[in-house]
Amino acid sequence: MTDPAPLLEVRHLRVEFPTRRGRLVALDDVSFSIAPGEVLGVVGESGAGKSMTGAAIIGLLEPPGRITGGEILLEGRRIDNLPHEELRRIRGRKIGAIFQDPLTTLNPLYTIGRQLVETMTTHLPIGPAEARERAIGWLEQVGIPAARERIDSYPHQFSGGMRQRVVIALALCAEPRLVIADEPTTALDVSIQAQVIALLKRLAREKGTAMMLITHDMGVIAETADRVAVMYAGRIVEIGPVREVVKNPRHPYSAGLMASIPPLDRRVERLAAIEGAMPRLSAIPPGCAYHPRCPRILSRCAVERPELMEAGGTMAACWLYHRHD
Amino acid sequence: MTEPAPLVEVRDLARYFDVSRPIVQRLLAREGRRILRAVDGVSFAIARGSTLSLVGESGCGKSTVARLVVGLYAPTRGEVRFDGQELSAARRDPRQRRRMQMIFQDPYASLNPRWRVRDIIAEPLDAFGLLPDAAARRDKVAELLTQVGLSPADGEKYPHEFSGGQRQRISIARALSSNPEFLVCDEPTSALDVSVQAQILNLMKALQAELGLTFLFISHNLAVVRQMSDRVGVMYLGRIVELAPAETLFTAPRHPYTRALMEAIPDLAMTGRQRTPVGGEVPSPISPPPGCAFHPRCPLANGRCRAERPELRPYGETAVACHAVEEGRAG
Ligand SMILES: Nc1ncnc2c1ncn2[C@@H]1O[C@H](COP(=O)(O)OP(=O)(O)OP(=O)(O)O)[C@@H](O)[C@H]1O
Ligand SMILES: Nc1ncnc2c1ncn2[C@@H]1O[C@H](COP(=O)(O)OP(=O)(O)O)[C@@H](O)[C@H]1O
Ligand code: SF4
Ligand code: SF4
Ligand SMILES: [Mg+2]
Ligand SMILES: [Mg+2]
């Protein structure tokens, strides 16, 4: 084995929410790893548990949600059981987070420049003057025009897409080892998206930053990720190299997801959509959680839960790939 | 034959923002006021029952146009006419106001977290006094929830109990509650994943066919725009640079910027085609380049482009603002 030791390792992660009506299992037996310099794409329908996986890793699960099983290792060291203060320090120094909603990350009362400068002076051995120069550089790298003129703007003076780019600059400026990017380019148009994606890839390649890229944009996944994990109802249902998962998905859910991407080269009357919705956590079907929506259902699917199994190029949690030997 | 009058007509619409620093700092630095021209002279018309989409890079002014068109911003210049009536006059009349509604990008921020879904959905109904009694309100909310693929029982819940796609359905139900004819949809599916996006887009198309709705649709996803639009306007730095029927725009884009945008789309087929990001930087809307604002990034730019601003000119059903197209040297 020549694989480098993983930078991030998640083993059998389980997250639960205690509620009045009993415990809800939001993540169930989630395992994966990311090597230094590797980009793992995470896709799946709303509510599949993508953001929750990211939040568990950075220790920002919203209470009463909590980790009830498994472990999370960063550079070989467990971080899921650290005291709050220590985790906060590691988060600031080693993990950069880009969240779905830029407004929750940016402080509306401070200028963009001040927020960037404070983040850098807290985590890097540099003074405010150098931090300000670097801040301008980061804003330019994420494609903010006239960065030097606009660094003293407040968040509300930027358009939605520009705010999102500021959030990206903020997450990267302290040079983290692991970046968790939750829908980082969703609010961006294609040209800026290309620029931001190129920046993220360059960071992974040149600085060996490991990246967990959560997005529903398959185009972004196709050109950025090395491997892809597809999540459904709190579990990984398929994981494998990007080419395999995007071009030749094995799991029926992955296949449905790929088919619902609107085509660019023609207009269709109705888009292919997976009928129905993902189950609520309180009503996850027995057996394979996808069985009520699955066009290829087998008789055992409603009673026995499939684990990830070899599916010829990827690992898929689906009985179609079960070999009797 | 005279064409039927468009439902929405926008003429030379502009909106500027003053982004000057505070006066003391400005005096110290001896700088003048700084005016950001978010939208600077946009004209279009939307036929009844049709969809016009606006595309363009972040910050080009799409959302500002959307807000101007529903009256959330007052124009700096130009006008919006809704069903023949000037917008500010139409907005003063509740009977006119209820005919237009807006759906926002962010289904998380646009729903009041402390209200039950039934009250969120009925809010426009209450505001316009459209319901005779509580029973009628309950029936209408149930009907709207069903129409967007949720169940009447969902009305008792709060927004946080729903996923992103479900919340966007709630926003749509709310927007539909006052029986509007015109919906402005600002990136309605950008926060949603592909499978939910497909459901919402199918829902919007079905509702359009059923209720004869007119849409102003904003998205940065060109594949989505292709599925939804009758006509498409491509915006660059506060102006429309190409306005064309959707099929024409996608099969025969004419403006160099439109072509660059198409080149920048990621390659999902993974054929190994490198996507070409639009070269150069988006210029600042505070000090836009002289002449054609696209000239610093345009492969066809020449002396005229740097000095003279191209006007939007018709070429058949397409309108393009480009000297190279006018001179026949755009290929
Ligand atoms: N406070 C909470 N109480 C109960 N369940 C919750 C809570 N927060 C989230 N959940 C549930 O946990 C599951 C996973 O949520 P999560 O936000 O991680 O999904 P996601 O894949 O990121 O979806 P999206 O793309 O919409 O953000 C969902 O079923 C959600 O309803
Ligand atoms: N309230 C405001 N004050 C100052 N500038 C603004 C304001 N709203 C928008 N802008 C500026 O107007 C331009 C266009 O913004 P917007 O319409 O949101 O773009 P888009 O939606 O295409 O991303 C951007 O440069 C943005 O920073
Ligand atoms: S296990 Fe059965 S129900 Fe589940 S995805 Fe495979 S075939 Fe479909
Ligand atoms: S007017 Fe000139 S610079 Fe502008 S798009 Fe046309 S060729 Fe390019
Ligand atoms: Mg999420
Ligand atoms: Mg916008």
mmCIF file of all heavy atoms in Angstrom, chain A residues 159-161, chain B residues 62-63 105 186-187 218, ligand 6:
data_model
loop_
_atom_site.group_PDB
_atom_site.id
_atom_site.type_symbol
_atom_site.label_atom_id
_atom_site.label_comp_id
_atom_site.label_asym_id
_atom_site.label_seq_id
_atom_site.Cartn_x
_atom_site.Cartn_y
_atom_site.Cartn_z
ATOM 1 N N SER A 159 -23.118 41.964 -3.564
ATOM 2 C CA SER A 159 -24.196 41.100 -4.038
ATOM 3 C C SER A 159 -24.041 39.722 -3.393
ATOM 4 O O SER A 159 -22.993 39.412 -2.814
ATOM 5 C CB SER A 159 -24.150 40.989 -5.559
ATOM 6 O OG SER A 159 -23.105 40.127 -5.950
ATOM 7 N N GLY A 160 -25.076 38.882 -3.490
ATOM 8 C CA GLY A 160 -25.051 37.564 -2.856
ATOM 9 C C GLY A 160 -23.828 36.756 -3.255
ATOM 10 O O GLY A 160 -23.144 36.170 -2.417
ATOM 11 N N GLY A 161 -23.549 36.730 -4.556
ATOM 12 C CA GLY A 161 -22.409 35.962 -5.046
ATOM 13 C C GLY A 161 -21.088 36.504 -4.527
ATOM 14 O O GLY A 161 -20.156 35.751 -4.233
ATOM 15 N N LYS B 62 -28.827 41.437 -11.874
ATOM 16 C CA LYS B 62 -30.044 40.659 -12.081
ATOM 17 C C LYS B 62 -31.034 40.859 -10.929
ATOM 18 O O LYS B 62 -32.213 41.168 -11.145
ATOM 19 C CB LYS B 62 -29.710 39.158 -12.207
ATOM 20 C CG LYS B 62 -28.684 38.841 -13.265
ATOM 21 C CD LYS B 62 -28.325 37.363 -13.307
ATOM 22 C CE LYS B 62 -27.700 36.800 -12.040
ATOM 23 N NZ LYS B 62 -26.361 37.304 -11.727
ATOM 24 N N SER B 63 -30.559 40.678 -9.689
ATOM 25 C CA SER B 63 -31.469 40.809 -8.545
ATOM 26 C C SER B 63 -31.966 42.234 -8.409
ATOM 27 O O SER B 63 -33.093 42.459 -7.963
ATOM 28 C CB SER B 63 -30.769 40.413 -7.244
ATOM 29 O OG SER B 63 -30.276 39.120 -7.332
ATOM 30 N N GLN B 105 -34.343 33.603 -3.625
ATOM 31 C CA GLN B 105 -33.383 32.520 -3.750
ATOM 32 C C GLN B 105 -33.329 31.641 -2.513
ATOM 33 O O GLN B 105 -33.281 30.429 -2.605
ATOM 34 C CB GLN B 105 -31.988 33.096 -3.999
ATOM 35 C CG GLN B 105 -30.890 32.056 -3.839
ATOM 36 C CD GLN B 105 -29.557 32.573 -4.301
ATOM 37 O OE1 GLN B 105 -29.443 33.721 -4.700
ATOM 38 N NE2 GLN B 105 -28.559 31.741 -4.259
ATOM 39 N N ASP B 186 -36.236 34.890 -8.293
ATOM 40 C CA ASP B 186 -34.815 35.189 -8.258
ATOM 41 C C ASP B 186 -34.061 33.958 -7.774
ATOM 42 O O ASP B 186 -34.053 33.664 -6.590
ATOM 43 C CB ASP B 186 -34.561 36.382 -7.336
ATOM 44 C CG ASP B 186 -33.116 36.865 -7.426
ATOM 45 O OD1 ASP B 186 -32.335 36.277 -8.201
ATOM 46 O OD2 ASP B 186 -32.772 37.825 -6.716
ATOM 47 N N GLU B 187 -33.451 33.226 -8.674
ATOM 48 C CA GLU B 187 -32.697 32.017 -8.357
ATOM 49 C C GLU B 187 -33.514 31.061 -7.490
ATOM 50 O O GLU B 187 -33.070 30.661 -6.414
ATOM 51 C CB GLU B 187 -31.398 32.378 -7.605
ATOM 52 C CG GLU B 187 -30.567 33.449 -8.285
ATOM 53 C CD GLU B 187 -29.402 32.895 -9.075
ATOM 54 O OE1 GLU B 187 -29.366 31.659 -9.275
ATOM 55 O OE2 GLU B 187 -28.563 33.689 -9.505
ATOM 56 N N ILE B 218 -34.775 34.348 -12.877
ATOM 57 C CA ILE B 218 -33.363 34.687 -12.790
ATOM 58 C C ILE B 218 -32.573 33.476 -12.332
ATOM 59 O O ILE B 218 -32.953 32.810 -11.370
ATOM 60 C CB ILE B 218 -33.168 35.858 -11.816
ATOM 61 C CG1 ILE B 218 -33.763 37.099 -12.470
ATOM 62 C CG2 ILE B 218 -31.695 36.072 -11.486
ATOM 63 C CD1 ILE B 218 -33.812 38.276 -11.592
HETATM 64 MG MG MG C 6 -28.477 37.905 -6.995
#
